[in-house]
Amino acid sequence: MILFNWLFQDEVLFQIVSTNLANIIARKDDRYIALGWCTLVRNLVEYESTMEQYLVNGIKEKYSALLKILCSCISHLLGVARKGSTLQDKFELPSRLAVSAADCFLALTEALTKKPDIPTSRPKLSDQQINLKSSCIGEKMVKSVPKSAEVLNMEMEYLLWNHLEDLIYLVERLLAWNKKSRPLHAKGVEKVLKWLQEIKAHYSGLKEEAGSKIQKSGALLLVSCWKHYGMLLHLEDHKFAKHYKELLDQYLSGIQYYTDNHSEGYAENKDGGIETRKFFLNCLCLLLGRFDGKKFETIVSDYGKQISQVLLSQLRCNEEAVIDGVVCIFKAVVFKPNFSSESGGLPDTKQVDVVIPLLLHLLDERDGAAKAVAALIAEYCSITADDNCLKEVLKRLASGNVIQRRNAADVISELMHISTDSRCGLTPLTWQEIANKMLECLSDEETAVREQILNLLPLLDPSVVLPTLVRLVYSADKKIEQSAGNALVGVLKYNNQKPDVICMLLDSLSNLSQDIDDSKTRGHAREESNFNSDRVLKMIQDWSESVQDWKTLIGPLIDKMFAEPSNATIVRFLSHINEHLAENADEVLYRVLLQMKGQKEIDASSFSRWETRTCIGDDFVRMQQYLFERLCPLLIIRLLPLRVFNNLNSSVVYGRLLHPGVTQEYKDSNIIYDESIVALILKRAFSKVEFEDVRKLAAELCGRIHPHVLLPIICSQLGHATGSQDILKIKACLFSVCTSLVARGRDSLIHPVMLEIQGALEMILLWPSSDGDEVSKAQHGCIDCLALMICAELQAPQSFSDCISKRDNIVSKSGDDASRNLVHRYVINKLIHDKGEVIPSSKSSREICEIGDTIFLSFRLCMANVLISACQKISDSGKKPFAQKVLPHLIRAVEVITYLEIRAACIQIMFSAVYHLKSAILPHSSDLLKISLKFLGNGSEKEKMAGAKLMASLLASEDAILESISGELLEAQSILSNISSTDPSLDLRQVCNKLLACITPT
């Protein structure tokens, strides 16, 4: 430095030396030379602090000229800094050379802010009050500087202004480098960067107006702030420790000064005060953020109280940026989460004990300060073992003041966001206490408070809120019920990919149901006594729509069902998501298949005791559990839509049945060894050593199997069972066929083997039976089966005839009798045919030639019951075709049929038709009334009673039917009057009296 000072005293040597010095960094691409150059130039620029004990008039006189020359190196320094970043743990770190280049850059630009020919040390607030209102700065600068110095000073200011882009880029690098190691300092750097960008955006369009008053104001504003920012942004400054106390006093005094002097007055003064306070707060962030460890704690110990007082006064400011700066400093200085002592607690709680009550007091107003304080208090609660502050917050959450409740909810909201960080030390018990207070707010009269709580509850651990929410859904208070329901849906949606949360919901429902049952047993009434799990489960639809990946949920849900097979709540829950289960049917059915294959066969001796109801004690409990375990997989299958069984290419569903031709040749032995869902269902439906409930459910599920697979198997099984009179297997086959007809309708009916099945039904109906015996039960199944066949073929009679034709062609080629192509025609013929023999209709019945009158009569009555059952089961679209195709035949035949029991049965069919088919019988209503009158006048007692019922049904019909039969009502009145007075049957007389009262005018 002494040599430079001597050389700079000569103008010629100064120009040569300084120019060549500046050219070194541009010419030499050597990092060691660059490092030495940056160190040398920084010391030269900062000569006042490095040469305090020497006279340096040579450097001093040429200082401004030197700066102008060295400023040409700024872009080169920026290039060096740009190349010096390395990425480590997602953070940028600078190299040694980058640090030196950045500090040299800052020293040069900071020097441009100094007044010429005036030796300066660190800037002092007492030297010049800083006001960021640019017009004020301009006026003060003009008044305080001589004219020649003013011109030179403006040159320096414009020189700094011209490097605004370079300043922005360097500050961006500094922000990236400080983020990891100095968070508070980085926050200040971030604010400086934002300020520079705002200046650029505001003044960038004024460059062409050089020398304009507005541009001059922008340059002056930059210089005023950068003399502090440039000093505070240094990465390395070993002399900084000598001046930090002085700077800290300046910044705190500045904040207090502009707070006191701009709290009242004109808007202009207010704005200037706010901008200046923002500047000092930025400087405070930069200053305090430079220190760490013990040094930071020492500063806080000395200045903590003063800093807290100044910062608290700023929380009343309406400017968000001011409050944001205050919050950042408060977190670092007062709460110190990043600089806590090794003990894990706060180093000095005295300051906190003073500050916290003041902060809590700010929660009594709904303003920007309250919002900032909410974040601070949440930060404090998350790191302290003392729960007094949190208790005060929870008291406010339950207070009668709406503003206090809303602000307390804000604190909890901030606390929840912090809880995602490992720094949060709240215990599960504390979270439960918080959750309980929040749940109490579901009945809050203030909508805003309820909505806040509803938005926050999903963020809590589900285990602390979900069981209580389930109970609250059953509250007698409608407001609580609705709020709890909304909150429950929110919790489920927020955790939509967590199967354990859904399992928790199901457990909560089951536990609540059990508690209510226990209370009823003890005679204690509960608020939720009218328990219905559907009140909660109906909300599942909203949750299910939010689920993105069902594969992660299906496995645990199915496993829970298997683990708790007797839990009816799980079954109802799965029924609400059956469409989603169907979309992942292979996954569901594969798990079901593994479960069914893993189940052991039932022990014959235990099963025998179960059937004879001699199973007691532990054996009974074990068998009951085994019943549920065997039902469970079948219940899951039943939840799936029918379309799951439509995929004949599914190996899980159909197994070896995929192979062509196997279906037609399928025998019993294949069923046992074919490991597929269908095979196991069939096996359980036809097994003799199986629970009755399991057999029934399996037989029902058989009806869902595709007809191409099911019906050939059923035909074979039914044929063998009929030959051996195996009633158990017959009932399983009939149930399967009935379910198939209900589920698939015409698709099942048109299958070629259906004629063989129909023949087997005829044979079973011809067996002798008595009321209540097993044969009678099987015959009832046959009646239902034939009735469902009629319903299926009359669904769409026009299109059905084409399908029947195709079936007849197939049957004719196979040599079978195709004469009975329509079931309803077959049943009518069997009913009204008075001959004492049954025309063989299938191979299974050809051996039957002559049948006794009793059996034949019973068979014909079964046909009548088929038509009655069809009337009851047929859908609306089939009612009109049924009336058109059945009633005309019965009306014509009833007068010529020999057997009075059959005539009475035909009239009973007409009664059922009128009762169930409604307006569909309108074209035949007059004929039906005539039949009724005829048999009322001349029939047997059975026929008269059937006729009376038919008339009653007609009189109770729609107006159109009453109008169509009005012409015969006089005759009806006469006949009814005669019967009501002369007939020996008391029951008949009473019925006729009632009918007579209906049609006799009053």
Side-chain angles (χ1 to χ4, degrees):
M1 290 299 115
I2 296 174
L3 179 60
F4 275 118
N5 183 64
W6 177 71
L7 291 172
F8 285 1
Q9 291 178 13
D10 184 277
E11 181 65 31
V12 176
L13 289 176
F14 166 74
Q15 290 293 335
I16 294 172
V17 172
S18 59
T19 303
N20 282 285
L21 177 63
N23 289 336
I24 290 174
I25 192 68
R27 293 200 314 268
K28 299 295 184 179
D29 188 15
D30 186 289
R31 65 178 183 273
Y32 297 106
I33 293 175
L35 180 61
W37 187 92
C38 291
T39 305
L40 175 63
V41 170
R42 180 181 179 185
N43 287 332
L44 185 58
V45 172
E46 297 177 344
Y47 75 95
E48 290 180 323
S49 60
T50 58
M51 299 291 289
E52 291 177 353
Q53 69 273 35
Y54 298 101
L55 292 174
V56 285
N57 291 335
I59 298 175
K60 181 178 178 182
E61 292 173 357
K62 300 295 189 297
Y63 191 73
S64 296
L66 177 64
L67 289 179
K68 290 181 181 179
I69 294 171
L70 291 177
C71 278
S72 63
C73 305
I74 286 179
S75 60
H76 297 290
L77 289 171
L78 204 56
V80 174
R82 182 188 295 115
K83 298 175 183 177
S85 291
T86 57
L87 197 64
Q88 181 178 337
D89 297 331
K90 299 181 181 180
F91 289 97
E92 287 189 44
L93 299 178
S95 64
R96 181 69 189 86
L97 176 58
V99 171
S100 184
D103 282 341
C104 186
F105 180 107
L106 291 170
L108 276 171
T109 54
E110 182 191 349
L112 294 176
T113 67
K114 296 178 181 179
K115 298 176 184 179
D117 300 321
I118 301 175
T120 60
S121 180
R122 299 291 175 176
K124 298 180 180 179
L125 187 68
S126 57
D127 294 339
Q128 178 185 323
Q129 291 291 350
I130 298 176
N131 190 312
L132 300 191
K133 208 63 179 170
S134 56
S135 61
C136 299
I137 295 174
E139 292 173 5
K140 292 182 180 182
M141 294 292 289
V142 170
K143 291 176 181 178
S144 61
V145 182
K147 190 70 175 178
S148 58
E150 179 186 348
V151 174
L152 183 57
N153 196 37
M154 287 307 301
E155 290 181 10
M156 293 299 182
E157 289 165 354
Y158 282 121
L159 192 56
L160 179 64
W161 179 262
N162 292 335
H163 286 286
L164 181 58
E165 287 278 2
D166 296 328
L167 293 177
I168 291 174
Y169 185 83
L170 179 68
V171 174
E172 287 177 345
R173 296 293 87 221
L174 292 173
L175 176 60
W177 294 341
N178 282 282
K179 274 187 175 179
K180 182 178 181 181
S181 58
R182 303 197 294 190
L184 179 58
H185 185 78
K187 189 69 177 179
V189 176
E190 182 182 351
K191 292 180 178 295
V192 172
L193 175 61
K194 181 180 179 183
W195 176 76
L196 289 172
Q197 290 169 338
E198 289 174 350
I199 289 179
K200 176 187 173 184
H202 185 69
Y203 293 101
S204 60
L206 305 172
K207 288 184 178 180
E208 295 180 1
E209 305 176 23
S212 70
K213 184 177 180 181
I214 297 178
Q215 191 182 40
K216 180 180 178 181
S217 299
L220 288 170
L221 180 61
L222 178 62
V223 167
S224 297
C225 294
W226 192 254
K227 71 171 59 178
H228 289 266
Y229 287 157
M231 171 186 59
L232 295 169
L233 287 170
H234 278 293
L235 293 167
E236 290 184 346
D237 190 348
H238 301 296
K239 304 177 187 65
F240 187 77
K242 298 178 182 179
H243 306 284
Y244 80 86
K245 292 183 179 180
E246 178 186 357
L247 293 172
L248 186 56
D249 286 334
Q250 288 182 35
Y251 298 147
L252 291 174
S253 299
I255 294 171
Q256 195 63 53
Y257 173 81
Y258 281 98
T259 301
D260 295 340
N261 289 275
H262 292 268
S263 59
E264 296 179 359
Y266 296 105
E268 181 180 351
N269 292 334
K270 287 185 177 181
D271 292 342
I274 288 175
E275 291 300 319
T276 309
R277 279 188 278 169
K278 287 165 61 177
F279 163 76
F280 283 125
L281 285 169
N282 291 351
C283 291
L284 203 56
C285 284
L286 292 170
L287 174 63
L288 295 172
R290 293 180 64 87
F291 301 105
D292 55 14
K294 295 295 183 181
K295 185 64 177 176
F296 183 87
E297 292 190 8
T298 300
I299 294 172
V300 171
S301 178
D302 295 339
Y303 287 90
K305 184 176 181 181
Q306 184 180 353
I307 293 172
S308 298
Q309 290 175 347
V310 172
L311 294 182
L312 282 171
S313 67
Q314 302 307 301
L315 288 173
R316 292 294 187 187
C317 180
N318 292 326
E319 179 65 29
E320 186 176 346
V322 173
I323 295 176
D324 184 49
V326 171
V327 169
C328 293
I329 299 171
F330 247 129
K331 287 182 179 180
V333 176
V334 181
F335 300 152
K336 303 179 287 296
N338 294 319
F339 306 106
S340 58
S341 61
E342 294 181 0
S343 63
L346 294 173
D348 185 5
T349 60
K350 293 181 180 178
Q351 296 176 33
V352 176
D353 293 339
V354 173
V355 171
I356 288 298
L358 297 174
L359 294 177
L360 287 170
H361 181 69
L362 293 175
L363 293 178
D364 295 340
E365 301 293 335
R366 190 72 178 166
D367 52 17
K371 183 177 180 182
V373 166
L376 284 172
I377 292 178
E379 184 83 15
Y380 172 70
C381 291
S382 70
I383 62 174
T384 181
D386 184 5
D387 62 351
N388 288 329
C389 180
L390 182 58
K391 287 181 178 178
E392 288 296 324
V393 173
L394 295 180
K395 283 182 182 178
R396 281 171 165 76
L397 189 63
S399 77
N401 187 309
V402 174
I403 292 176
Q404 286 186 342
R405 297 203 300 275
R406 293 190 65 181
N407 287 334
D410 287 341
V411 174
I412 294 173
S413 175
E414 294 291 339
L415 190 57
M416 287 181 180
H417 290 299
I418 295 171
S419 69
T420 58
D421 193 328
S422 58
R423 292 186 293 110
C424 185
L426 296 184
T427 64
L429 190 61
T430 302
W431 280 116
Q432 184 65 66
E433 184 180 357
I434 294 172
N436 292 341
K437 292 294 183 181
M438 292 172 66
L439 290 167
E440 291 175 8
C441 293
L442 291 176
S443 59
D444 200 293
E445 296 294 332
E446 187 67 24
T447 303
V449 176
R450 288 201 309 274
E451 289 180 352
Q452 275 183 289
I453 296 301
L454 287 175
N455 292 330
L456 292 175
L457 285 173
L459 305 181
L460 288 168
D461 185 334
S463 64
V464 301
V465 293
L466 197 145
T468 306
L469 283 175
V470 169
R471 291 182 180 274
L472 290 176
V473 169
Y474 293 92
S475 170
D477 188 323
K478 291 298 180 182
K479 182 185 295 183
I480 295 178
E481 177 193 340
Q482 183 178 1
S483 297
N486 293 335
L488 182 59
V489 172
V491 171
L492 294 178
K493 285 184 175 181
Y494 188 80
N495 300 278
N496 58 11
Q497 294 301 144
K498 297 178 181 178
D500 55 315
V501 175
I502 293 299
C503 292
M504 190 186 304
L505 170 72
L506 298 174
D507 290 340
S508 299
L509 278 171
S510 300
N511 293 338
L512 179 59
S513 177
Q514 185 62 48
D515 289 348
I516 292 172
D517 290 342
D518 293 343
S519 297
K520 288 179 179 179
T521 302
R522 295 191 298 268
H524 301 306
R526 289 174 58 97
E527 184 181 11
E528 312 94 339
S529 57
N530 295 323
F531 178 78
N532 180 4
S533 62
D534 285 340
R535 186 182 294 188
V536 168
L537 294 180
K538 69 181 180 182
M539 304 172 188
I540 292 301
Q541 180 65 31
D542 290 338
W543 161 79
S544 65
E545 292 174 356
S546 70
V547 177
Q548 301 296 321
D549 183 11
W550 279 97
K551 290 184 179 179
T552 61
L553 296 174
I554 285 175
L557 291 175
I558 298 298
D559 290 344
K560 184 170 182 62
M561 176 76 175
F562 291 149
E564 304 174 35
S566 60
N567 192 335
T569 301
I570 303 177
V571 180
R572 285 195 287 272
F573 166 78
L574 293 177
S575 70
H576 284 79
I577 60 169
N578 65 330
E579 287 297 326
H580 300 289
L581 296 177
E583 293 170 3
N584 298 272
D586 287 344
E587 173 73 15
V588 175
L589 292 175
Y590 179 71
R591 288 179 174 272
V592 170
L593 181 61
L594 291 180
Q595 182 72 9
M596 294 179 74
K597 287 169 62 177
Q599 292 176 341
K600 297 179 181 179
E601 296 296 329
I602 303 175
D603 178 69
S605 60
S606 297
F607 181 73
S608 177
R609 290 193 297 274
W610 174 269
E611 288 287 278
T612 56
R613 302 183 184 278
T614 58
C615 192
I616 57 174
D618 292 341
D619 196 22
F620 176 83
V621 174
R622 182 175 58 82
M623 289 296 289
Q624 190 176 50
Q625 178 67 17
Y626 200 39
L627 166 62
F628 287 124
E629 290 176 359
R630 295 183 72 80
L631 277 173
C632 184
L634 300 179
L635 290 172
I636 294 175
I637 296 172
R638 187 168 68 172
L639 293 173
L640 299 174
L642 180 65
R643 66 174 184 273
V644 170
F645 288 90
N646 291 343
N647 183 12
L648 290 170
N649 294 320
S650 173
S651 58
V652 176
V653 177
Y654 289 107
R656 284 186 292 164
L657 293 172
L658 300 171
H659 301 296
V662 173
T663 302
Q664 287 77 11
E665 301 174 0
Y666 214 59
K667 303 298 180 183
D668 284 350
S669 58
N670 300 101
I671 295 176
I672 296 174
Y673 299 106
D674 189 359
E675 296 182 343
S676 66
I677 291 291
V678 166
L680 291 172
I681 290 174
L682 289 166
K683 184 176 181 180
R684 295 200 176 182
F686 297 139
S687 175
K688 292 186 177 180
V689 185
E690 184 59 85
F691 296 102
E692 183 178 1
D693 291 335
V694 175
R695 273 201 309 269
K696 287 181 178 179
L697 182 53
E700 176 189 334
L701 293 176
C702 285
R704 298 188 175 195
I705 301 171
H706 198 285
H708 292 333
V709 176
L710 173 70
L711 294 179
I713 296 172
I714 292 296
C715 184
S716 173
Q717 293 287 328
L718 186 58
H720 294 146
T722 303
S724 60
Q725 292 199 351
D726 186 342
I727 302 298
L728 193 66
K729 186 172 288 188
I730 287 173
K731 289 195 291 186
C733 290
L734 293 176
F735 197 12
S736 300
V737 174
C738 287
T739 309
S740 182
L741 289 167
V742 171
R744 298 185 177 273
R746 186 178 58 189
D747 292 337
S748 294
L749 186 60
I750 64 174
H751 196 284
V753 302
M754 194 58 83
L755 288 175
E756 294 183 45
I757 293 174
Q758 190 176 323
L761 301 182
E762 181 180 297
M763 172 173 277
I764 296 168
L765 289 173
L766 287 169
W767 288 349
S769 66
S770 58
D771 289 343
D773 66 4
E774 290 301 313
V775 174
S776 174
K777 293 178 182 178
Q779 288 175 339
H780 283 299
C782 294
I783 290 169
D784 287 337
C785 195
L786 288 170
L788 289 170
M789 289 181 184
I790 292 174
C791 294
E793 72 181 9
L794 293 179
Q795 280 297 120
Q798 298 299 324
S799 58
F800 185 72
S801 58
D802 298 332
C803 300
I804 287 296
S805 299
K806 294 179 181 178
R807 185 185 74 176
D808 289 347
N809 291 335
I810 297 173
V811 173
S812 298
K813 291 178 182 178
S814 65
D816 289 328
D817 182 9
S819 60
R820 298 177 305 139
N821 56 358
L822 293 174
V823 181
H824 75 272
R825 190 176 299 169
Y826 157 77
V827 171
I828 292 171
N829 287 338
K830 294 297 183 183
L831 172 63
I832 64 176
H833 194 359
D834 256 344
K835 295 182 179 179
E837 63 177 324
V838 177
I839 301 173
S841 56
S842 66
K843 293 179 181 179
S844 60
S845 59
R846 283 174 182 165
E847 297 176 0
I848 303 175
C849 296
E850 295 294 331
I851 300 177
D853 288 345
T854 303
I855 296 177
F856 181 64
L857 181 60
S858 175
F859 177 79
R860 294 178 69 184
L861 291 175
C862 287
M863 294 297 104
N865 286 327
V866 167
L867 294 176
I868 292 172
S869 180
C871 286
Q872 298 167 349
K873 294 178 172 61
I874 199 159
S875 64
D876 290 341
S877 61
K879 288 179 178 179
K880 190 173 182 179
F882 184 94
Q884 291 173 342
K885 295 180 178 297
V886 174
L887 290 180
H889 292 287
L890 296 181
I891 291 170
R892 289 194 300 268
V894 72
E895 299 187 32
V896 297
I897 291 175
T898 305
Y899 293 92
L900 66 89
E901 291 87 349
I902 303 301
R903 291 198 303 270
C906 288
I907 300 172
Q908 184 66 31
I909 296 170
M910 296 176 192
F911 160 73
S912 294
V914 173
Y915 185 81
H916 293 286
L917 304 186
K918 308 297 182 185
S919 60
I921 60 96
L922 178 59
H924 314 284
S925 55
S926 179
D927 293 333
L928 291 172
L929 183 59
K930 291 176 181 177
I931 295 293
S932 171
L933 294 174
K934 176 179 179 180
F935 285 98
L936 273 171
N938 301 311
S940 64
E941 184 176 346
K942 280 187 177 181
E943 291 170 328
K944 287 181 179 180
M945 184 60 76
K949 290 181 179 180
L950 175 57
M951 181 182 291
S953 184
L954 286 168
L955 293 175
S957 297
E958 301 170 2
D959 291 344
I961 294 176
L962 290 174
E963 186 177 348
S964 69
I965 63 173
S966 59
E968 285 83 20
L969 291 182
L970 285 176
E971 182 183 354
Q973 186 176 359
S974 174
I975 294 174
L976 290 173
S977 178
N978 182 50
I979 294 175
S980 62
S981 59
T982 61
D983 196 273
S985 171
L986 176 61
D987 292 338
L988 183 60
R989 289 200 308 272
Q990 289 176 345
V991 170
C992 289
N993 272 323
K994 291 178 181 179
L995 292 175
L996 187 61
C998 292
I999 62 175
T1000 302
T1002 57

